[in-house]
Structures are given as structure tokens and as C-alpha cells.
Amino acid sequence: MADLLTISDENFDQEVIKSDLPTLVDFWAPWCGPCRMVGPVVEELAGEYAGKIKVVKLNVDEAQRTASQYGIRSIPTIMLFNGGQVVEQVIGAVPKAKLEELLRKVL
């Protein structure tokens, strides 16, 4: 299992915007049922794409500044960043195949 990094407002720029790797960000909250459904899928992807894609989780309750900056209205929202820019975004609990489709676009 790859390390699934939990990030915050404080280290978002360093871990996502300045990342050398394409980065998948899971915007979630502990009280969100669909987030808990997507969580294990995100963890699987972190393991399967280790070294190719960075996978991080951002708790929107704890990182409200970043969530607001990216206009997160519904969770889970998964954003894919490449070169510091948002290149893909999906909202809601989506199947693993859909997330893999996004990842293939940046590999």
C-alpha cells in the first residue's frame, strides 16, 4: 500500500501545485457517506500508480481555504492536477474505471 498523504491548507501548494508528478486530490470529509465509498478506491489507485501519480486526500472541514479556492461545493470531488493546473475533475462517488480513465490522460 502506498502512502496516502493527507494534506492541508498549509502544504497544498508544496504537495500539489509544485509536485513533479501528476497529483490526484480527493476532497472529502469524514461525515460524507459517498466519500467513504470512494476512499478505498482512491487508496487502491495510490498503490497501483505509485511512482507515476501522487495521490492525496484533503479534508474540506480542516482545509476550508483550499476547498473554497477551488470552488468545492459537493464532496467527494476528485481533481487531477498536472503542472500545477487542474486538468480533470469529477464530483460524486464514481467507479474506479472512471478514475483510471482520468489518470490515463496524464500518463
Side-chain angles (χ1 to χ4, degrees):
M1 172 73 67
D3 291 334
L4 192 59
L5 190 61
T6 300
I7 60 171
S8 63
D9 283 341
E10 288 69 37
N11 65 358
F12 184 85
D13 276 1
Q14 186 61 43
E15 295 296 342
V16 178
I17 303 302
K18 296 177 180 166
S19 175
D20 294 337
L21 291 173
T23 305
L24 182 133
V25 182
D26 177 10
F27 291 88
W28 74 291
W31 48 263
C32 162
C35 298
R36 290 198 300 271
M37 289 167 46
V38 168
V41 173
V42 169
E43 288 175 31
E44 277 179 41
L45 293 172
E48 290 169 21
Y49 289 86
K52 296 184 202 135
I53 294 200
K54 185 185 223 177
V55 178
V56 300
K57 291 178 78 77
L58 184 109
N59 182 329
V60 296
D61 289 341
E62 295 171 357
Q64 293 179 354
R65 186 178 75 222
T66 302
S68 172
Q69 181 181 346
Y70 286 95
I72 305 301
R73 302 264 179 272
S74 302
I75 53 173
T77 291
I78 294 178
M79 287 186 172
L80 186 59
F81 288 78
N82 196 7
Q85 301 294 314
V86 177
V87 291
E88 293 290 337
Q89 173 178 339
V90 291
I91 298 171
V94 295
K96 183 177 179 184
K98 175 70 175 164
L99 295 177
E100 287 179 317
E101 194 180 300
L102 296 184
L103 296 180
R104 280 195 292 274
K105 292 181 181 179
V106 297
L107 291 176

